[in-house]
Amino acid sequence: MANIKKAAQWAIANKQAALMKLNKMEAEESLYAFVKLMWPVLEPGTPFLEGWVMKEVCRHLEAVTEGLVNRLLINVPPGFCKSLITDVFWPAWEWGPKRKPHTRYVCAAYSEQLTLRDNRKCLALIQSDEYQAMWGDVFELDKNEQSKHKFANMTTGFKLATAVGGSATGERGDRVIIDDPHNVKDSESDAKRAEALHWFTEVMP
């Protein structure tokens, strides 16, 4: 009882620190809570809008983190933050809040520019003051490997950006994230679909 009273007194006297600790605890349990908490870091000019689609995407990615799901296919309309959650927030969440900095990601899309974009965002999130204040003690980024195609940490984890049809030979990812393997204008092409399928079934494995 004395400990509870002492903790309550501390929280009243240190409201900002107490709130930060509560937010940190919630974000370590929930990917969705982490997204909400870190949203202003990446989208300071865009208000966060609650939505069941985002919650379900986060819930299913949590199942992957927990080892309950090995393969996950996400089909949602454009504008529902699929790329941002899956290729930016989720890796940062696993490395820091879930204390899995050894996890390795190989990320691909029909255009390498899309995965490079998300790599930059993920690295910016990890390097932010907000993220470092809460999880900076979990891992250290590898200063010698911070290119636009690949960044890594000192616990053997890395995040590699490539393209469908591009080279990933020699890399071993714990997570393979494929975001939009087809360009819309090429999706009706039998040859393009066959090329992407060959890459998915032969190159990536």
Side-chain angles (χ1 to χ4, degrees), residues 75-87:
N75 281 324
V76 296
F80 280 82
C81 296
K82 168 178 57 66
S83 299
L84 199 57
I85 293 173
T86 305
D87 205 9

Side-chain angles (χ1 to χ4, degrees), residues 12 75 86-87 94 111 120 137 141 162 190:
I12 293 170
N75 281 324
T86 305
D87 205 9
E94 288 201 310
S111 169
R120 287 193 296 269
D137 61 329
L141 287 169
T162 185
D190 291 339

Side-chain angles (χ1 to χ4, degrees), residues 72-112:
L72 176 63
L73 175 64
I74 301 172
N75 281 324
V76 296
F80 280 82
C81 296
K82 168 178 57 66
S83 299
L84 199 57
I85 293 173
T86 305
D87 205 9
V88 179
F89 283 112
W90 183 44
W93 183 69
E94 288 201 310
W95 272 13
K98 300 312 288 181
R99 288 167 169 69
K100 295 176 178 287
H102 56 277
T103 308
R104 301 168 181 178
Y105 303 85
V106 175
C107 310
Y110 70 83
S111 169
E112 188 178 58

Side-chain angles (χ1 to χ4, degrees), residues 32 36 48-57 80 85:
Y32 187 69
K36 286 176 63 178
F48 180 83
L49 298 178
E50 299 269 358
W52 69 266
V53 172
M54 293 174 68
K55 289 179 181 178
E56 285 302 304
V57 170
F80 280 82
I85 293 173

